[in-house]
Amino acid sequence: MIRIVLVEDQAMLRDSLVCTINAQQDMEVVAAFANAADALEATRRTGATCALLDVCTENDSSGIVAARLIKEEMPDVRVVIMTGLPEITFVDGARKAGVDSFVYKNVGTGELLGIIRSTMEGYSTFPLAKQRIIPDGVELSQVEIDILRLVCESKTRKEIAAELYLSEGTVKRHISEILAKTGYDNILRLAVHAVSNGLIVPGMKG
């Protein structure tokens, strides 16, 4: 039996997943809640064998952070991350946290159940790279992502330089490179596009 801890902050979706999973002969939800900060304790308490975690949850808690804590303490527990946002750092962050599989919420229920089962059997599922980059097919460097995220947080060039320990000239050069890669003529327009399309979630730390 696959014993699942479920973290999903949308109550309707959470209830639907609980009903669907519990209807399976080989699965049961042993705990379901909205805050990823509770995932480690719940996994420990229930003896869960799988954690199905949303990335952005109640009280700004991160499913990726919870995943890392679970894998550090209980490496045999399989962790599946799910999200409805194509944020460009989520997949890499999940890999670094030791997550076993990563799925976007636009998949069907049958596919999600299949991913959970295959993950429990030792197979990993991750999105193709094209699903997590700027739409133009351009890969931004980590520094460029950090700068774009801070622009999305309305930080000035001086503030960005101070936070990233760079000179203002270096920040300006990186911004020019970002614009050249993405085809935008204004970093603020790109920031609006990135936030409105879920490519950047302001304040989200990896």
Side-chain angles (χ1 to χ4, degrees), residues 2-161:
I2 302 172
R3 296 169 56 80
I4 298 173
V5 163
L6 170 64
V7 178
E8 167 56 58
D9 65 347
Q10 296 180 35
M12 186 180 298
L13 179 55
R14 184 173 65 249
D15 292 347
S16 176
L17 284 171
V18 169
C19 290
T20 299
I21 291 171
N22 284 342
Q24 309 303 305
Q25 293 185 343
D26 59 341
M27 301 180 183
E28 67 172 328
V29 175
V30 294
F33 40 89
N35 191 340
D38 298 327
L40 176 62
E41 188 279 331
T43 303
R44 186 192 297 132
R45 171 174 49 82
T46 61
T49 55
C50 177
L52 180 59
L53 311 175
D54 192 6
V55 176
C56 302
T57 71
E58 196 173 78
N59 299 328
D60 295 325
S61 293
S62 167
I64 292 175
V65 172
R68 182 169 60 248
L69 296 174
I70 290 170
K71 295 300 282 189
E72 285 175 354
E73 183 174 322
M74 295 164 280
D76 291 337
V77 173
R78 304 293 186 186
V79 178
V80 178
I81 285 287
M82 59 181 176
T83 184
L85 296 169
E87 221 278 356
I88 56 181
T89 62
F90 284 172
V91 174
D92 284 340
R95 287 186 187 277
K96 290 175 183 176
V99 165
D100 298 287
S101 290
F102 188 110
V103 62
Y104 288 115
K105 290 181 181 178
N106 59 358
V107 302
T109 303
E111 185 174 350
L112 175 61
L113 295 173
I115 289 171
I116 293 172
R117 290 187 177 101
S118 66
T119 300
M120 294 305 297
E121 292 172 0
Y123 299 98
S124 289
T125 299
F126 278 83
L128 297 175
K130 67 180 182 181
Q131 292 180 272
R132 58 185 174 90
I133 59 179
I134 295 294
D136 304 77
V138 174
E139 192 79 57
L140 299 182
S141 71
Q142 186 58 55
V143 173
E144 290 167 345
I145 291 172
D146 291 341
I147 288 173
L148 181 56
R149 188 183 304 282
L150 291 172
V151 171
C152 292
E153 293 173 9
S154 301
K155 297 290 179 68
T156 66
R157 197 159 67 201
K158 184 176 182 179
E159 290 171 331
I160 293 170

Side-chain angles (χ1 to χ4, degrees), residues 156-173:
T156 66
R157 197 159 67 201
K158 184 176 182 179
E159 290 171 331
I160 293 170
E163 185 156 339
L164 298 180
Y165 303 102
L166 301 171
S167 70
E168 286 190 59
T170 299
V171 172
K172 183 178 180 180
R173 177 172 58 80

